[in-house]
Amino acid sequence: MSLEALTKAPALRKGMLGTALTINSQEYDDVTLKGAGHSDAWEFTEAVKAAWTHFNLAALEKEAAQLDRILAGVLALAAPSRYPSACQIAPLLDAARALDSSLLSKLNAEAIGPEVAARIAPVRKFATDPRTARANAITTFVAAELDRWKDFFDTIESKPLTPEQRLSVVVDEDATLVLAGAGSGKTSVITAKAAYLVKAGIRQPEEILLLAFAKNAAEEMSERVEARSGVPIVARTFHAISYDIIGIVEGSKPALADHATDDMAFTNLIKQILKDLVYRLSEVSTAIIQFFAHFLVEPKTEWDFKTKHDFYTHMESQDLRTLQGEKVKSYEELQIANWLYENGVEYEYEPVYEHKVPETGRRDYQPDFRLTESGIYIEHFGVRRQKTADGRERLVTAPFVDRDEYLAGMDWKRKVHAEHKTILIETYSYERQEGRLLTGLAEKLAPHVTLNPRPVDTIYDRIVELKQVDDFSKLLGTFLRKFKSGGYSLQDCETKSDRMKLGKRARAFLDVFAPVFEEYQKRLEGRIDFEDMILRAAHYAETGLYVSPFRHILVDEFQDISQSRARLVKALKAQHPDVRVFAVGDDWQSIFRFAGSDIHLMRHFGREFGGTFDDEAGVHRTVDLGRTFRSVDQIAFAARSFVLRNPAQIEKQIVPAGTATEPAIRVVSVSKGEDEAKLNEVLAALSAAMAPEAKPATVLLLGRYRFIEPDMPGLRRRFPRLKISFKTIHASKGLEADHVILLNADSGRTGFPSEIVDDPLLSLVSPEEEPFRNAEERRVMYVAMTRARHTLTILASNARPSSFVTELRKDPAYAISTAPGAEPEAHICGECGGRLLGVTGQDGRIWYRCEHVQHCGNLLPACPSCGTALPRHAEGTSEVRCECGASYPTCPECKDGWLVERSGSFGKFLGCVRYPTCTGKAKIANGDRPAITKPRRRKRI
């Protein structure tokens, strides 16, 4: 039995037959010796106790130096001299647990005595509950450090730092994320952090890497740090540090490609590569032509949508332009037209039928296609085949199409051709669904038409002429840059395409992209582009070819970080166990996804950059600056509420810069053609409200797009007391003004939110898209709102206000000021669910036209009585009523129309105002006039 195995000192118990001696051991069950002489038993027990105590103390003495080091570290946590970050305390915890496991847990308190037991107790407690010990140490350190550096925080900037800013400076976790909302003073935080690290002796200037995204931001930061603190720390862009790393490893810096800094030169290079590949007349040229002919636009049809409105909205976002040059109404028509063009079959799109069809109330019949040489007509029918329960087959239409009416229209067209003995070739949506639309068309045309395929280079010249190459080259270029910067492979893209079910279009695109990328890499000829720069530097850091001197990495505008930049930061952090990442950003202002920024890196900051402590990964600290030095309460709170409608945004508290004494946010409705006049009115009001002795107020005009910039020289001449500037919202980040005016907050393709959707192909090389609708556009709106100090004025179309404006107006929580009656009543189109918009016709009258002009064509006159408003169906009645008081009989055929008196060959009758689109009619009972109620009074709107 070994001394190490004893669990307590031997015990003696006197009895009638002598003394019983019991020994407790881990190795055996308790051993009891009975009937011993008491004196002998006592002497033996004392000898065992002495040996046992000596053994325990000797074991402890062997580890005395290690114990002293660990104990000193644990006791120092009571008043730490440095922030007890995970990376700093983790080695102490590992050592404490190792010693506890190998020795301390095996020592017996009785054997070593109370003094020694008390000495090792702090180490054992720390090993058991290190998180509490570290948390208490952090609290103690932060309180003391804030007090110790109070004078520094009071004077480092022109105004004393806020409590939140001070906290962010002294917190020094493995990874620290500072949530810096708009106008919260993030630059002050970075400046103070860099100066503090050096002045506190935590780091030498050369151990600090200060990273910015733009060259001018880096220069400004360097100047500010040195001016405020006297500490010479050079801020660098990601590209600059990457270029330096490459130079150190390779001995010299490779030449930068000419197109790296010139977007136009880059796009022209892609265009030239495409052209050269086509003219080689290889399989690649065929793949390129096939993509342009059949996959240039997203191949969605009416079957992919639940409503006409959704379908029409999608179609309007696509430019369904054929190789011949006309715009068609569906993707399947585009496929047919381009196949005809490729194969040299001359055609007309939607010609008027060559025979006059007897009066039917319909518009002139226009078949989809007429082949000019043969006179054959092609009609493409949007029907699919469906099996019924009894096994029979029936034709069905898209969800929002009236099946019976559509099938009747198909029969009518067949009869027209049969009566006039013209040849009709029919194609169907189910043929495309089954993958044989074009092969089927070729078979049907074979008896009538000889194909004469156009040469590939001829078709490509036509594509260039239509300027389709320009946009496609930009798409290819954007894809290429994202592909390289994200470190993707073609296999990655193919796998993601399968997962996202992007189908044949993605495969056709990758068939073009692969040879373009290969050729692009060849043409670099040893030079380097910006994407190579960061990835090569990250690789050198990951493999240890570059040894980093940096122990603190400070990153500005962290919400804009991309996967490749994050990879570089992680590689530099991994080189040394004590490297800290200090990131400052605002996920509410993440608006550069198109440039590769990945908001998920910020939302999962701990997982991506955090440390490890007590078997917990992702250890990090988040500090919310909260306070804004810019916007008054109404603007700050409205902007916060607006952006947080997306539940994925990180919630932050806001302390506004001041209290507004009058409405700070206004929506001004603008009628068609009044944009300039309304802007002048708003500027005039701002100028007039200024006190005579006041210095000029700053006014920032913001637009979602550059092209809506107004006449700035003219505005500056007219309003000399205002300092007026214009920026796109993206370019306005970091700026502020007394007053902000947001222009053209309208709905539409180039409205705000923008309805120009990124091509789905870019999702193959982009961060995962956020599920919340308009997630990034909502953040763009937040950026626009928070540029304003005192007032925000939003100019929005009276007829087509954006969904953002509608939301701001409807929710009283936003406290938006709107002129009485300024918000127009929304009229929904009964034909497709879009909006009916008021327009002035060539006759000077007001008409209400569906927003989906090309597809829907619903057109209604204004009320005949007042001439301005639109009569609408009155709930529970057979009347259509106008707000002016007039009422009319409802049309029995359509949802929007009403009946007015008309004259026909059989006399007067009631006909729909939408004639000839709608042929609804009714008789005039007993020769009476229609039941039309005159208005009580005329009302202008």
Side-chain angles (χ1 to χ4, degrees), residues 106-164:
K106 298 176 181 178
L107 296 177
N108 190 280
E110 188 181 348
I112 61 177
E115 287 186 11
V116 176
R119 183 165 175 256
I120 67 172
V123 176
R124 299 212 63 199
K125 183 179 180 183
F126 174 66
T128 305
D129 186 14
R131 297 189 193 187
T132 299
R134 194 172 87 92
N136 291 339
I138 290 172
T139 301
T140 301
F141 171 80
V142 167
E145 196 75 350
L146 289 172
D147 184 60
R148 186 181 304 123
W149 289 86
K150 181 180 181 302
D151 290 344
F152 170 79
F153 293 135
D154 285 343
T155 58
I156 183 68
E157 290 285 285
S158 56
K159 293 181 180 178
L161 299 188
T162 67
E164 297 85 3

Side-chain angles (χ1 to χ4, degrees), residues 191-209:
T191 302
K193 181 75 175 184
Y196 165 77
L197 290 172
V198 176
K199 287 181 174 295
I202 298 171
R203 297 296 184 208
Q204 294 300 311
E206 61 273 14
E207 294 179 311
I208 299 172
L209 176 59

Side-chain angles (χ1 to χ4, degrees), residues 342-614:
E342 284 180 276
N343 287 286
V345 180
E346 302 294 334
Y347 71 87
E348 295 176 85
Y349 178 66
E350 290 195 336
V352 175
Y353 187 53
E354 62 190 276
H355 300 288
K356 186 68 177 174
V357 179
E359 178 66 38
T360 61
R362 299 172 181 263
R363 290 180 175 175
D364 287 341
Y365 174 41
Q366 292 177 271
D368 292 332
F369 300 93
R370 179 179 181 271
L371 308 188
T372 53
E373 291 183 12
S374 61
I376 288 173
Y377 291 94
I378 300 174
E379 280 283 12
H380 180 70
F381 293 126
V383 291
R384 290 185 177 178
R385 295 194 280 207
Q386 184 184 74
K387 285 280 176 111
T388 59
D390 58 6
R392 289 186 299 173
E393 196 175 77
R394 68 195 292 259
L395 294 178
V396 293
T397 53
F400 50 80
V401 176
D402 186 308
R403 176 180 178 272
D404 294 338
E405 184 180 320
Y406 193 87
L407 294 182
M410 290 172 61
D411 288 339
W412 178 83
K413 291 174 182 177
R414 288 166 179 156
K415 287 175 183 175
V416 167
H417 287 280
E419 288 171 4
H420 295 91
K421 295 183 171 53
T422 47
I423 298 175
L424 174 65
I425 299 293
E426 298 182 16
T427 57
Y428 312 96
S429 287
Y430 64 73
E431 291 176 311
R432 174 179 174 263
Q433 189 184 21
E434 295 164 7
R436 56 186 185 87
L437 174 63
L438 301 180
T439 55
L441 177 60
E443 291 170 6
K444 294 167 190 176
L445 289 179
H448 312 284
V449 174
T450 300
L451 304 184
N452 183 25
R454 286 184 165 91
V456 167
D457 53 346
T458 300
I459 297 174
Y460 189 76
D461 288 343
R462 178 61 179 157
I463 292 167
V464 172
E465 188 181 332
L466 291 170
K467 300 192 184 310
Q468 291 182 345
V469 172
D470 294 351
D471 287 341
F472 182 64
S473 297
K474 288 177 183 175
L475 172 64
L476 269 175
T478 302
F479 192 95
L480 188 151
R481 282 177 164 169
K482 285 172 170 277
F483 180 85
K484 290 190 73 171
S485 66
Y488 292 94
S489 67
L490 287 169
Q491 183 59 54
D492 293 335
C493 295
E494 289 169 6
T495 302
K496 195 170 183 182
S497 171
D498 292 340
R499 177 165 56 83
M500 297 181 69
K501 296 182 171 59
L502 293 183
K504 292 181 180 178
R505 183 169 184 255
R507 285 194 293 276
F509 177 80
L510 292 175
D511 285 345
V512 175
F513 173 72
V516 168
F517 179 69
E518 184 180 349
E519 185 66 21
Y520 171 82
Q521 290 295 94
K522 284 181 187 174
R523 297 193 186 192
L524 283 176
E525 296 177 333
R527 291 170 296 172
I528 194 170
D529 58 21
F530 284 132
E531 288 70 39
D532 287 325
M533 206 177 279
I534 292 178
L535 290 174
R536 197 180 297 185
H539 171 71
Y540 288 154
E542 288 165 345
T543 56
L545 290 171
Y546 170 73
V547 179
S548 168
F550 306 116
R551 296 299 196 276
H552 263 80
I553 304 170
L554 280 55
V555 188
D556 188 21
E557 300 286 6
F558 191 77
Q559 73 279 350
D560 296 333
I561 198 165
S562 63
Q563 286 288 348
S564 59
R565 289 176 171 86
R567 181 179 161 189
L568 176 60
V569 171
K570 290 176 187 177
L572 294 173
K573 183 177 187 293
Q575 286 220 350
H576 309 285
D578 63 337
V579 178
R580 323 290 165 87
V581 173
F582 181 81
V584 183
D586 182 8
D587 71 305
W588 295 1
Q589 297 185 72
S590 177
I591 60 173
F592 289 104
R593 181 175 178 267
F594 65 87
S597 70
D598 188 348
I599 195 171
H600 300 91
L601 290 166
M602 185 167 182
R603 288 184 180 160
H604 304 293
F605 179 76
R607 183 183 72 193
E608 297 288 340
F609 300 94
T612 302
F613 184 76
D614 189 26

Side-chain angles (χ1 to χ4, degrees), residues 142-455:
V142 167
E145 196 75 350
L146 289 172
D147 184 60
R148 186 181 304 123
W149 289 86
K150 181 180 181 302
D151 290 344
F152 170 79
F153 293 135
D154 285 343
T155 58
I156 183 68
E157 290 285 285
S158 56
K159 293 181 180 178
L161 299 188
T162 67
E164 297 85 3
Q165 289 174 322
R166 296 171 191 232
L167 177 63
S168 67
V169 171
V170 300
V171 165
D172 203 25
E173 196 52 82
D174 287 32
T176 303
L177 176 63
V178 180
L179 298 176
S184 60
K186 69 178 180 61
T187 309
S188 296
V189 166
I190 291 181
T191 302
K193 181 75 175 184
Y196 165 77
L197 290 172
V198 176
K199 287 181 174 295
I202 298 171
R203 297 296 184 208
Q204 294 300 311
E206 61 273 14
E207 294 179 311
I208 299 172
L209 176 59
L210 192 50
L211 287 170
F213 280 81
K215 187 177 180 181
N216 58 349
E219 291 171 351
E220 181 185 336
M221 204 175 295
S222 299
E223 292 169 5
R224 187 161 173 171
V225 169
E226 187 161 8
R228 292 281 195 271
S229 64
V231 177
I233 299 176
V234 177
R236 284 181 272 189
T237 65
F238 278 90
H239 289 124
I241 184 64
S242 297
Y243 213 20
D244 287 346
I245 290 171
I246 293 168
I248 290 169
V249 174
E250 297 182 4
S252 63
K253 295 179 180 179
L256 189 63
D258 295 338
H259 60 264
T261 56
D262 187 338
D263 287 342
M264 183 175 289
F266 176 67
T267 302
N268 287 338
L269 173 61
I270 300 297
K271 284 167 68 175
Q272 188 61 48
I273 289 173
L274 273 175
K275 183 177 180 180
D276 292 346
L277 290 174
V278 167
Y279 281 83
R280 289 178 193 170
L281 301 178
S282 61
E283 288 182 10
V284 176
S285 62
T286 304
I288 292 171
I289 296 303
Q290 282 300 299
F291 187 84
F292 276 105
H294 302 291
F295 297 105
L296 192 60
V297 297
E298 190 178 2
K300 285 189 175 182
T301 71
E302 56 265 48
W303 302 91
D304 298 303
F305 301 90
K306 292 181 179 178
T307 68
K308 283 184 181 179
H309 172 55
D310 291 340
F311 174 57
Y312 294 162
T313 300
H314 169 76
M315 296 307 293
E316 286 160 2
S317 71
Q318 304 289 314
D319 184 18
L320 298 185
R321 187 81 53 185
T322 70
L323 294 175
Q324 186 163 285
E326 65 268 317
K327 195 166 185 178
V328 294
K329 293 178 180 174
S330 76
Y331 173 72
E332 289 169 354
E333 285 186 350
L334 180 73
Q335 281 191 296
I336 293 168
N338 283 349
W339 183 87
L340 293 171
Y341 185 86
E342 284 180 276
N343 287 286
V345 180
E346 302 294 334
Y347 71 87
E348 295 176 85
Y349 178 66
E350 290 195 336
V352 175
Y353 187 53
E354 62 190 276
H355 300 288
K356 186 68 177 174
V357 179
E359 178 66 38
T360 61
R362 299 172 181 263
R363 290 180 175 175
D364 287 341
Y365 174 41
Q366 292 177 271
D368 292 332
F369 300 93
R370 179 179 181 271
L371 308 188
T372 53
E373 291 183 12
S374 61
I376 288 173
Y377 291 94
I378 300 174
E379 280 283 12
H380 180 70
F381 293 126
V383 291
R384 290 185 177 178
R385 295 194 280 207
Q386 184 184 74
K387 285 280 176 111
T388 59
D390 58 6
R392 289 186 299 173
E393 196 175 77
R394 68 195 292 259
L395 294 178
V396 293
T397 53
F400 50 80
V401 176
D402 186 308
R403 176 180 178 272
D404 294 338
E405 184 180 320
Y406 193 87
L407 294 182
M410 290 172 61
D411 288 339
W412 178 83
K413 291 174 182 177
R414 288 166 179 156
K415 287 175 183 175
V416 167
H417 287 280
E419 288 171 4
H420 295 91
K421 295 183 171 53
T422 47
I423 298 175
L424 174 65
I425 299 293
E426 298 182 16
T427 57
Y428 312 96
S429 287
Y430 64 73
E431 291 176 311
R432 174 179 174 263
Q433 189 184 21
E434 295 164 7
R436 56 186 185 87
L437 174 63
L438 301 180
T439 55
L441 177 60
E443 291 170 6
K444 294 167 190 176
L445 289 179
H448 312 284
V449 174
T450 300
L451 304 184
N452 183 25
R454 286 184 165 91

Side-chain angles (χ1 to χ4, degrees), residues 703-717:
R704 180 62 181 79
Y705 296 99
R706 166 65 60 185
F707 73 83
I708 64 174
E709 179 176 359
D711 172 22
M712 296 305 295
L715 292 176
R716 289 171 182 139
R717 282 195 303 272

